[in-house]
Amino acid sequence: MASGVKPRVKVPKTASAGETIEIKTLISHTMESGQRKDSDGNVIPRSIINRFTAEFNGQNVIDVTLEPAISTNPYFQFEAIVPETGEFLFKWYDDDGSVYEETKAVTVS
Amino acid sequence: MRRKDRMRNQVALGLAISALAFGASAEPDDDRLVVNGEIEMVTETAAPEHMEGVKTIYSGWRFRSDETQAFQIDDFDNPSMIWVETAQEVWETPEGAADKSCSSCHEGVESMAGIKAVYPKWSDAAGKVVTLEQQVNNCREERMEAEAWKYDGGDMTNMIALLASVSRGMPVNVAIDGPAQSTWEQGKDIYYTRFGQLEMSCANCHEDNYGNMIRADHLSQGQINGFPTYRLKNTKLNAVHARFKGCVRDTRAETFKPGSPEFVALELYVASRGNGLSVEGPSVRN
């Protein structure tokens, strides 16, 4: 199915308690919409990331539903408040059932 | 507004006046480019001695909007980096009958720092000026015994982007004297020759009219220190010869081919017009 899928995340390593930090995420993915046809006229099956979530120490931060109109290599940038030292867990759900995960630790000083 | 520091011919002056009349000036701005908070780029410097019509050279980055500029300030935001990562894997992957990868000879790609800054350059072995692309294909065919890549294809452009990325911040410094001189002069000839039904030379836009609008876009000096370039208009990395081809095509001319001796000469000449600017590739432009 989808090949060359690679998640990337940028999170500050340190923060002060209660600080709002900026998080950038990107996953390389073809995001085949299912609307296109190949040169023989056959529909190219849909293959997209359909859901993206981020949680911090088990608490949900963001939960996104992705639709076929979202373009290749979906990029999300959002803000989160970090109350304590902990770990972000990011998950991308692929149409083919794969789940790609990435974790980032943040130390609160 | 920055004062124009070059001579214009009468036609160009007319264009400038009309541009002013519509308030559509597009001079380089005063922003500073620091990538990842650590690589300080020279985006403005004194023109090399050989340039007669221009006193100050500017990177194309300075002609772009703040939003486009921001893409290049952080590697995470720079869409080119996906392909740089792809090329990094290719760098370490053995290929061809000799079962060698780039790293078999060159080790880490960091060892290639500074290479992009001095190409195109004279090669004694080839007996001519060669581009980095030709050098890569030479390695592939001679040492890896693999198939050559298409000159301006994706694989090649990714690899050039990787090689450029490790030279970022270093000054462009191509040699134009010695054995390279005749090629450089051929490139200069092409730069000032009017091509196509529109009868336009590179200089008509990028020397006489940089800082003005060409329809809805800002004309830059046509510097190539930022190549390969991710362009918002086609959302992919663009090779320098492919860009040349686009420009020549826009004059409604039959273009030279990517990798042709004419474009190699032109690349050497255009690169030399940016001697002193930082290697920025892979950059982000409109």
Side-chain angles (χ1 to χ4, degrees):
Chain A
M1 292 294 282
S3 63
V5 180
K6 189 179 167 193
R8 301 163 178 82
V9 179
K10 187 171 181 179
V11 179
K13 285 193 178 66
T14 57
S16 47
E19 188 187 345
T20 305
I21 59 167
E22 188 178 67
I23 296 168
K24 295 173 175 179
T25 75
L26 173 71
I27 188 161
S28 47
H29 195 283
T30 50
M31 296 292 281
E32 187 60 57
S33 69
Q35 305 281 337
R36 301 197 307 159
K37 289 175 180 172
D38 63 17
S39 50
D40 296 327
N42 304 313
V43 172
I44 305 170
R46 181 183 123 154
S47 170
I48 68 167
I49 298 286
N50 56 46
R51 185 180 176 212
F52 166 69
T53 63
E55 52 191 69
F56 184 70
N57 287 349
Q59 190 188 348
N60 180 260
V61 177
I62 195 169
D63 192 337
V64 183
T65 304
L66 286 83
E67 302 290 351
I70 292 175
S71 55
T72 309
N73 306 335
Y75 173 96
F76 289 108
Q77 181 178 329
F78 53 94
E79 290 175 341
I81 296 171
V82 282
E84 70 226 359
T85 296
E87 199 172 64
F88 275 99
L89 170 64
F90 304 91
K91 285 183 179 173
W92 292 261
Y93 297 80
D94 197 309
D95 272 351
D96 66 11
S98 317
V99 179
Y100 311 101
E101 291 186 0
E102 182 80 21
T103 57
K104 289 281 174 188
V106 184
T107 309
V108 170
S109 50
Chain B
M1 185 194 297
R2 188 182 301 274
R3 197 179 153 272
K4 294 279 170 59
D5 55 6
R6 62 188 182 280
M7 294 179 294
R8 295 170 180 283
N9 59 32
Q10 285 190 324
V11 176
L13 188 60
L15 282 172
I17 290 167
S18 64
L20 283 175
F22 289 99
S25 173
E27 297 279 291
D29 64 13
D30 290 325
D31 294 340
R32 274 173 67 237
L33 174 55
V34 181
V35 174
N36 298 335
E38 55 182 30
I39 311 173
E40 177 106 23
M41 300 285 187
V42 176
T43 58
E44 171 180 351
T45 190
E49 267 179 31
H50 66 79
M51 285 169 76
E52 286 149 16
V54 177
K55 288 205 183 96
T56 309
I57 52 174
Y58 301 97
S59 159
W61 184 82
R62 293 279 294 277
F63 294 86
R64 305 275 69 101
S65 69
D66 288 349
E67 294 81 1
T68 308
Q69 288 179 336
F71 272 119
Q72 207 185 315
I73 290 175
D74 183 349
D75 279 356
F76 199 91
D77 295 332
N78 185 336
S80 322
M81 288 302 157
I82 288 179
W83 292 290
V84 169
E85 281 179 27
T86 308
Q88 178 70 54
E89 282 166 25
V90 173
W91 179 268
E92 288 149 12
T93 310
E95 210 184 318
D99 199 32
K100 280 184 182 173
S101 68
C102 306
S103 61
S104 310
C105 294
H106 297 294
E107 297 181 357
V109 70
E110 298 75 25
S111 69
M112 308 305 276
I115 298 292
K116 180 71 171 68
V118 297
Y119 271 83
K121 75 174 206 180
W122 176 262
S123 157
D124 280 331
K128 61 178 181 178
V129 171
V130 297
T131 60
L132 197 49
E133 284 90 340
Q134 289 168 331
Q135 196 60 57
V136 167
N137 264 345
N138 183 274
C139 274
R140 286 184 61 80
E141 288 183 311
E142 303 285 321
R143 306 203 187 178
M144 296 166 66
E145 295 170 40
E147 240 177 80
W149 279 327
K150 184 182 172 211
Y151 191 90
D152 56 348
D155 291 328
M156 179 63 86
T157 308
N158 294 350
M159 184 54 70
I160 302 300
L162 173 66
L163 293 170
S165 72
V166 296
S167 292
R168 281 187 297 173
M170 297 178 174
V172 176
N173 185 22
V174 295
I176 63 173
D177 50 2
Q181 194 185 352
S182 64
T183 308
W184 179 79
E185 274 164 9
Q186 185 198 355
K188 185 175 180 180
D189 268 355
I190 294 172
Y191 193 87
Y192 286 100
T193 302
R194 288 170 180 268
F195 288 98
Q197 291 177 326
L198 297 185
E199 291 190 276
M200 291 178 84
S201 72
C202 308
N204 291 145
C205 285
H206 297 293
E207 183 166 303
D208 301 338
N209 278 297
Y210 70 83
N212 290 329
M213 304 295 282
I214 182 164
R215 299 175 72 182
D217 198 7
H218 303 62
L219 268 179
S220 73
Q221 288 186 340
Q223 295 287 356
I224 58 172
N225 59 312
F227 275 84
T229 291
Y230 177 87
R231 297 191 70 194
L232 302 175
K233 71 172 276 185
N234 59 13
T235 65
K236 69 182 181 82
L237 276 175
N238 291 259
V240 65
H241 285 199
R243 189 70 193 86
F244 286 165
K245 190 175 148 189
C247 261
V248 179
R249 178 205 59 209
D250 288 349
T251 70
R252 301 185 191 162
E254 289 285 338
T255 81
F256 303 108
K257 284 193 170 63
S260 64
E262 290 85 358
F263 271 170
V264 172
L266 184 61
E267 182 180 344
L268 175 62
Y269 177 68
V270 176
S272 79
R273 290 174 69 95
N275 271 354
L277 294 175
S278 298
V279 175
E280 268 180 48
S283 63
V284 182
R285 302 284 188 262
N286 288 31

PDB file of all heavy atoms in Angstrom, chain A residues 6 8-10 24-26 28 73 75, chain B residues 36 74-77 81-83 85 89:
ATOM      1  N   LYS A   6       6.667   8.554   6.288  1.00  0.00           N
ATOM      2  CA  LYS A   6       7.582   8.850   7.392  1.00  0.00           C
ATOM      3  C   LYS A   6       7.074  10.044   8.187  1.00  0.00           C
ATOM      4  O   LYS A   6       6.930  11.128   7.651  1.00  0.00           O
ATOM      5  CB  LYS A   6       8.970   9.150   6.829  1.00  0.00           C
ATOM      6  CG  LYS A   6      10.015   9.256   7.893  1.00  0.00           C
ATOM      7  CD  LYS A   6      11.377   9.537   7.285  1.00  0.00           C
ATOM      8  CE  LYS A   6      12.345   9.949   8.380  1.00  0.00           C
ATOM      9  NZ  LYS A   6      13.564  10.517   7.830  1.00  0.00           N
ATOM     10  N   ARG A   8       7.182  13.086  10.945  1.00  0.00           N
ATOM     11  CA  ARG A   8       8.170  14.017  11.501  1.00  0.00           C
ATOM     12  C   ARG A   8       7.449  14.947  12.463  1.00  0.00           C
ATOM     13  O   ARG A   8       6.336  15.383  12.184  1.00  0.00           O
ATOM     14  CB  ARG A   8       8.791  14.874  10.404  1.00  0.00           C
ATOM     15  CG  ARG A   8       9.481  14.107   9.316  1.00  0.00           C
ATOM     16  CD  ARG A   8       9.670  15.018   8.117  1.00  0.00           C
ATOM     17  NE  ARG A   8      10.376  14.344   7.039  1.00  0.00           N
ATOM     18  CZ  ARG A   8       9.809  13.532   6.166  1.00  0.00           C
ATOM     19  NH1 ARG A   8       8.523  13.269   6.246  1.00  0.00           N
ATOM     20  NH2 ARG A   8      10.523  12.972   5.218  1.00  0.00           N
ATOM     21  N   VAL A   9       8.106  15.247  13.570  1.00  0.00           N
ATOM     22  CA  VAL A   9       7.499  16.126  14.567  1.00  0.00           C
ATOM     23  C   VAL A   9       8.553  17.076  15.099  1.00  0.00           C
ATOM     24  O   VAL A   9       9.714  16.688  15.270  1.00  0.00           O
ATOM     25  CB  VAL A   9       6.926  15.304  15.753  1.00  0.00           C
ATOM     26  CG1 VAL A   9       6.331  16.226  16.782  1.00  0.00           C
ATOM     27  CG2 VAL A   9       5.891  14.317  15.267  1.00  0.00           C
ATOM     28  N   LYS A  10       8.148  18.308  15.329  1.00  0.00           N
ATOM     29  CA  LYS A  10       9.051  19.263  15.960  1.00  0.00           C
ATOM     30  C   LYS A  10       8.379  19.820  17.207  1.00  0.00           C
ATOM     31  O   LYS A  10       7.344  20.465  17.130  1.00  0.00           O
ATOM     32  CB  LYS A  10       9.385  20.379  14.993  1.00  0.00           C
ATOM     33  CG  LYS A  10      10.456  21.311  15.533  1.00  0.00           C
ATOM     34  CD  LYS A  10      10.917  22.280  14.472  1.00  0.00           C
ATOM     35  CE  LYS A  10      12.007  23.167  15.031  1.00  0.00           C
ATOM     36  NZ  LYS A  10      12.502  24.107  14.026  1.00  0.00           N
ATOM     37  N   LYS A  24       4.821  21.297  15.496  1.00  0.00           N
ATOM     38  CA  LYS A  24       4.690  21.156  14.045  1.00  0.00           C
ATOM     39  C   LYS A  24       4.802  19.674  13.698  1.00  0.00           C
ATOM     40  O   LYS A  24       5.705  18.994  14.199  1.00  0.00           O
ATOM     41  CB  LYS A  24       5.802  21.924  13.329  1.00  0.00           C
ATOM     42  CG  LYS A  24       5.740  23.418  13.516  1.00  0.00           C
ATOM     43  CD  LYS A  24       6.958  24.100  12.927  1.00  0.00           C
ATOM     44  CE  LYS A  24       6.821  25.615  13.019  1.00  0.00           C
ATOM     45  NZ  LYS A  24       8.011  26.294  12.476  1.00  0.00           N
ATOM     46  N   THR A  25       3.899  19.183  12.877  1.00  0.00           N
ATOM     47  CA  THR A  25       3.976  17.781  12.467  1.00  0.00           C
ATOM     48  C   THR A  25       3.807  17.672  10.957  1.00  0.00           C
ATOM     49  O   THR A  25       3.116  18.473  10.334  1.00  0.00           O
ATOM     50  CB  THR A  25       2.867  16.927  13.115  1.00  0.00           C
ATOM     51  OG1 THR A  25       1.633  17.217  12.461  1.00  0.00           O
ATOM     52  CG2 THR A  25       2.743  17.174  14.590  1.00  0.00           C
ATOM     53  N   LEU A  26       4.471  16.682  10.427  1.00  0.00           N
ATOM     54  CA  LEU A  26       4.404  16.453   8.986  1.00  0.00           C
ATOM     55  C   LEU A  26       4.556  14.962   8.750  1.00  0.00           C
ATOM     56  O   LEU A  26       5.391  14.317   9.382  1.00  0.00           O
ATOM     57  CB  LEU A  26       5.550  17.202   8.300  1.00  0.00           C
ATOM     58  CG  LEU A  26       5.768  16.972   6.806  1.00  0.00           C
ATOM     59  CD1 LEU A  26       4.661  17.608   6.002  1.00  0.00           C
ATOM     60  CD2 LEU A  26       7.105  17.566   6.373  1.00  0.00           C
ATOM     61  N   SER A  28       5.039  12.289   5.492  1.00  0.00           N
ATOM     62  CA  SER A  28       5.118  12.143   4.041  1.00  0.00           C
ATOM     63  C   SER A  28       4.181  11.014   3.638  1.00  0.00           C
ATOM     64  O   SER A  28       4.285   9.889   4.142  1.00  0.00           O
ATOM     65  CB  SER A  28       6.557  11.856   3.603  1.00  0.00           C
ATOM     66  OG  SER A  28       7.123  10.856   4.399  1.00  0.00           O
ATOM     67  N   ASN A  73       1.489  14.855   1.777  1.00  0.00           N
ATOM     68  CA  ASN A  73       2.329  15.240   2.916  1.00  0.00           C
ATOM     69  C   ASN A  73       1.613  16.189   3.884  1.00  0.00           C
ATOM     70  O   ASN A  73       2.020  17.341   4.048  1.00  0.00           O
ATOM     71  CB  ASN A  73       3.635  15.891   2.428  1.00  0.00           C
ATOM     72  CG  ASN A  73       4.383  15.020   1.445  1.00  0.00           C
ATOM     73  OD1 ASN A  73       4.222  13.800   1.441  1.00  0.00           O
ATOM     74  ND2 ASN A  73       5.187  15.629   0.609  1.00  0.00           N
ATOM     75  N   TYR A  75       0.451  18.469   6.771  1.00  0.00           N
ATOM     76  CA  TYR A  75       1.206  19.224   7.765  1.00  0.00           C
ATOM     77  C   TYR A  75       0.237  19.825   8.758  1.00  0.00           C
ATOM     78  O   TYR A  75      -0.749  20.441   8.350  1.00  0.00           O
ATOM     79  CB  TYR A  75       1.977  20.319   7.027  1.00  0.00           C
ATOM     80  CG  TYR A  75       2.704  21.332   7.876  1.00  0.00           C
ATOM     81  CD1 TYR A  75       4.053  21.175   8.149  1.00  0.00           C
ATOM     82  CD2 TYR A  75       2.061  22.453   8.360  1.00  0.00           C
ATOM     83  CE1 TYR A  75       4.738  22.117   8.906  1.00  0.00           C
ATOM     84  CE2 TYR A  75       2.739  23.405   9.116  1.00  0.00           C
ATOM     85  CZ  TYR A  75       4.069  23.230   9.385  1.00  0.00           C
ATOM     86  OH  TYR A  75       4.746  24.167  10.126  1.00  0.00           O
TER      87      TYR A  75
ATOM     88  N   ASN B  36      17.297  28.017  10.464  1.00  0.00           N
ATOM     89  CA  ASN B  36      17.341  27.191  11.687  1.00  0.00           C
ATOM     90  C   ASN B  36      17.985  27.926  12.850  1.00  0.00           C
ATOM     91  O   ASN B  36      18.533  27.305  13.758  1.00  0.00           O
ATOM     92  CB  ASN B  36      18.124  25.883  11.441  1.00  0.00           C
ATOM     93  CG  ASN B  36      17.462  25.023  10.396  1.00  0.00           C
ATOM     94  OD1 ASN B  36      16.263  25.119  10.185  1.00  0.00           O
ATOM     95  ND2 ASN B  36      18.248  24.197   9.734  1.00  0.00           N
ATOM     96  N   ASP B  74      13.085  27.825   8.508  1.00  0.00           N
ATOM     97  CA  ASP B  74      13.154  26.643   9.356  1.00  0.00           C
ATOM     98  C   ASP B  74      13.058  25.400   8.471  1.00  0.00           C
ATOM     99  O   ASP B  74      12.143  25.289   7.663  1.00  0.00           O
ATOM    100  CB  ASP B  74      11.985  26.686  10.351  1.00  0.00           C
ATOM    101  CG  ASP B  74      12.023  25.526  11.341  1.00  0.00           C
ATOM    102  OD1 ASP B  74      12.818  24.586  11.129  1.00  0.00           O
ATOM    103  OD2 ASP B  74      11.260  25.565  12.318  1.00  0.00           O
ATOM    104  N   ASP B  75      14.005  24.481   8.627  1.00  0.00           N
ATOM    105  CA  ASP B  75      14.006  23.283   7.782  1.00  0.00           C
ATOM    106  C   ASP B  75      12.730  22.476   7.905  1.00  0.00           C
ATOM    107  O   ASP B  75      12.329  21.791   6.967  1.00  0.00           O
ATOM    108  CB  ASP B  75      15.209  22.387   8.125  1.00  0.00           C
ATOM    109  CG  ASP B  75      16.473  22.869   7.447  1.00  0.00           C
ATOM    110  OD1 ASP B  75      16.390  23.843   6.672  1.00  0.00           O
ATOM    111  OD2 ASP B  75      17.541  22.290   7.697  1.00  0.00           O
ATOM    112  N   PHE B  76      12.082  22.557   9.084  1.00  0.00           N
ATOM    113  CA  PHE B  76      10.854  21.778   9.227  1.00  0.00           C
ATOM    114  C   PHE B  76       9.759  22.321   8.320  1.00  0.00           C
ATOM    115  O   PHE B  76       8.891  21.587   7.860  1.00  0.00           O
ATOM    116  CB  PHE B  76      10.380  21.786  10.683  1.00  0.00           C
ATOM    117  CG  PHE B  76       9.424  20.665  10.986  1.00  0.00           C
ATOM    118  CD1 PHE B  76       9.888  19.454  11.438  1.00  0.00           C
ATOM    119  CD2 PHE B  76       8.061  20.816  10.765  1.00  0.00           C
ATOM    120  CE1 PHE B  76       9.018  18.414  11.688  1.00  0.00           C
ATOM    121  CE2 PHE B  76       7.184  19.778  11.008  1.00  0.00           C
ATOM    122  CZ  PHE B  76       7.661  18.570  11.471  1.00  0.00           C
ATOM    123  N   ASP B  77       9.807  23.630   8.077  1.00  0.00           N
ATOM    124  CA  ASP B  77       8.787  24.260   7.237  1.00  0.00           C
ATOM    125  C   ASP B  77       9.161  24.213   5.763  1.00  0.00           C
ATOM    126  O   ASP B  77       8.323  24.491   4.901  1.00  0.00           O
ATOM    127  CB  ASP B  77       8.601  25.734   7.645  1.00  0.00           C
ATOM    128  CG  ASP B  77       8.036  25.856   9.045  1.00  0.00           C
ATOM    129  OD1 ASP B  77       7.324  24.935   9.461  1.00  0.00           O
ATOM    130  OD2 ASP B  77       8.314  26.861   9.703  1.00  0.00           O
ATOM    131  N   MET B  81      12.842  19.651   2.183  1.00  0.00           N
ATOM    132  CA  MET B  81      13.612  18.757   3.042  1.00  0.00           C
ATOM    133  C   MET B  81      13.143  17.307   2.975  1.00  0.00           C
ATOM    134  O   MET B  81      13.888  16.395   3.294  1.00  0.00           O
ATOM    135  CB  MET B  81      13.575  19.269   4.486  1.00  0.00           C
ATOM    136  CG  MET B  81      14.409  20.525   4.662  1.00  0.00           C
ATOM    137  SD  MET B  81      16.123  20.200   4.179  1.00  0.00           S
ATOM    138  CE  MET B  81      16.678  21.855   3.814  1.00  0.00           C
ATOM    139  N   ILE B  82      11.886  17.107   2.534  1.00  0.00           N
ATOM    140  CA  ILE B  82      11.409  15.736   2.356  1.00  0.00           C
ATOM    141  C   ILE B  82      12.267  15.035   1.298  1.00  0.00           C
ATOM    142  O   ILE B  82      12.669  13.876   1.458  1.00  0.00           O
ATOM    143  CB  ILE B  82       9.922  15.738   1.946  1.00  0.00           C
ATOM    144  CG1 ILE B  82       9.068  16.150   3.147  1.00  0.00           C
ATOM    145  CG2 ILE B  82       9.501  14.370   1.426  1.00  0.00           C
ATOM    146  CD1 ILE B  82       7.595  16.204   2.848  1.00  0.00           C
ATOM    147  N   TRP B  83      12.568  15.761   0.224  1.00  0.00           N
ATOM    148  CA  TRP B  83      13.361  15.153  -0.843  1.00  0.00           C
ATOM    149  C   TRP B  83      14.836  15.064  -0.469  1.00  0.00           C
ATOM    150  O   TRP B  83      15.544  14.184  -0.918  1.00  0.00           O
ATOM    151  CB  TRP B  83      13.168  15.927  -2.153  1.00  0.00           C
ATOM    152  CG  TRP B  83      11.781  15.769  -2.679  1.00  0.00           C
ATOM    153  CD1 TRP B  83      11.242  14.632  -3.214  1.00  0.00           C
ATOM    154  CD2 TRP B  83      10.736  16.745  -2.693  1.00  0.00           C
ATOM    155  NE1 TRP B  83       9.930  14.870  -3.564  1.00  0.00           N
ATOM    156  CE2 TRP B  83       9.598  16.144  -3.261  1.00  0.00           C
ATOM    157  CE3 TRP B  83      10.669  18.076  -2.286  1.00  0.00           C
ATOM    158  CZ2 TRP B  83       8.396  16.831  -3.437  1.00  0.00           C
ATOM    159  CZ3 TRP B  83       9.476  18.751  -2.458  1.00  0.00           C
ATOM    160  CH2 TRP B  83       8.350  18.139  -3.027  1.00  0.00           C
ATOM    161  N   GLU B  85      15.798  14.347   2.485  1.00  0.00           N
ATOM    162  CA  GLU B  85      15.845  13.108   3.272  1.00  0.00           C
ATOM    163  C   GLU B  85      15.836  11.882   2.371  1.00  0.00           C
ATOM    164  O   GLU B  85      16.527  10.900   2.627  1.00  0.00           O
ATOM    165  CB  GLU B  85      14.654  13.038   4.230  1.00  0.00           C
ATOM    166  CG  GLU B  85      14.837  13.885   5.462  1.00  0.00           C
ATOM    167  CD  GLU B  85      13.624  13.816   6.385  1.00  0.00           C
ATOM    168  OE1 GLU B  85      12.903  12.795   6.362  1.00  0.00           O
ATOM    169  OE2 GLU B  85      13.412  14.789   7.125  1.00  0.00           O
ATOM    170  N   GLU B  89      18.887   8.875   1.979  1.00  0.00           N
ATOM    171  CA  GLU B  89      18.794   7.409   1.955  1.00  0.00           C
ATOM    172  C   GLU B  89      19.472   6.853   0.711  1.00  0.00           C
ATOM    173  O   GLU B  89      20.179   5.848   0.773  1.00  0.00           O
ATOM    174  CB  GLU B  89      17.323   6.965   2.006  1.00  0.00           C
ATOM    175  CG  GLU B  89      16.748   7.056   3.401  1.00  0.00           C
ATOM    176  CD  GLU B  89      15.229   6.953   3.418  1.00  0.00           C
ATOM    177  OE1 GLU B  89      14.657   6.355   2.474  1.00  0.00           O
ATOM    178  OE2 GLU B  89      14.620   7.484   4.373  1.00  0.00           O
TER     179      GLU B  89
END
